[in-house]
Amino acid sequence: MDNKGKTIQPNYYNTWEYVREERERIKTENYDIPNSLEAAWKRVTSNYKDYIRRNEDETVAATPLGAFLYYIEVGLYPPPELLLAIATCFRLYEDAEGAFELDEVLFGSRKKKGVGNYSAQLSRNRLYELFSITKYFERRKKEVNPDRQSKSTTALAEEFIHQNSANGVDAESFLRGYRRWKKRQDISDK
């Protein structure tokens, strides 16, 4: 529970609500560490101009962790409230002494039987996205050259699995998962 009596989920600290609270605390309260981070951030980012608009962080990524990674990947120093939020996530994970999985702290309870943790889900979804693109280009090749013999979906899946090191997965299982993914994403092959 927080100091206002509301129950806090383990992933609360990786939410934009929490980041907004941290941003406000930095502005209004006299905290040594956040104020020190804020002063350092202002010095480091003085030449960023309008590259980072703190009130628009939420447009950069779906979560604070995503925004943190985005800023690092494009070579920009993340704002202090993002650093504090991510640090709080890891501190909660460490302090919980095994009561929470890291996935729970960062993403909420997403582990599903037979699906795996968040990272496994992302990896599988990326494969399905790539396969969807592969199927699109296969259709385009046939449209451009109507005389071309097109591959069956199963043959295409077998080739795709081999090329993408998804060994241990047979084509039919992959295609069942792909069809479920398409349905969840509301994607058609047309």
Side-chain angles (χ1 to χ4, degrees), residues 136-148:
Y136 168 79
F137 281 115
E138 183 68 17
R139 282 191 313 275
R140 289 291 297 136
K141 288 176 188 175
K142 179 72 174 164
E143 289 171 9
V144 170
N145 184 0
D147 296 332
R148 183 181 182 279

Side-chain angles (χ1 to χ4, degrees), residues 27-147:
K27 282 189 220 171
T28 60
E29 297 179 22
N30 193 11
Y31 270 108
D32 288 342
I33 293 173
N35 287 344
S36 175
L37 288 172
E38 178 72 10
W41 189 77
K42 284 180 178 176
R43 282 192 305 277
V44 169
T45 62
S46 63
N47 62 348
Y48 283 8
K49 307 243 186 284
D50 286 333
Y51 291 124
I52 295 179
R53 294 188 182 124
R54 290 166 92 169
N55 59 346
E56 295 178 9
D57 282 344
E58 296 173 44
T59 63
V60 171
T63 65
L65 176 61
F68 170 83
L69 294 171
Y70 166 80
Y71 286 130
I72 297 298
E73 289 166 356
V74 298
L76 299 174
Y77 196 95
E81 55 271 20
L82 288 179
L83 298 175
L84 292 166
I86 301 309
T88 303
C89 288
F90 283 101
R91 181 62 59 212
L92 172 64
Y93 172 70
E94 289 177 348
D95 290 348
E97 299 176 351
F100 301 127
E101 297 287 329
L102 190 54
D103 273 16
E104 283 181 277
V105 173
L106 294 174
F107 310 109
S109 182
R110 291 185 179 212
K111 193 168 186 176
K112 299 171 188 160
K113 187 175 181 178
V115 177
N117 64 19
Y118 186 67
S119 177
Q121 292 171 45
L122 283 177
S123 176
R124 197 168 300 110
N125 287 344
R126 278 191 210 107
L127 277 177
Y128 294 146
E129 288 169 2
L130 284 172
F131 186 67
S132 184
I133 293 166
T134 301
K135 283 187 69 176
Y136 168 79
F137 281 115
E138 183 68 17
R139 282 191 313 275
R140 289 291 297 136
K141 288 176 188 175
K142 179 72 174 164
E143 289 171 9
V144 170
N145 184 0
D147 296 332

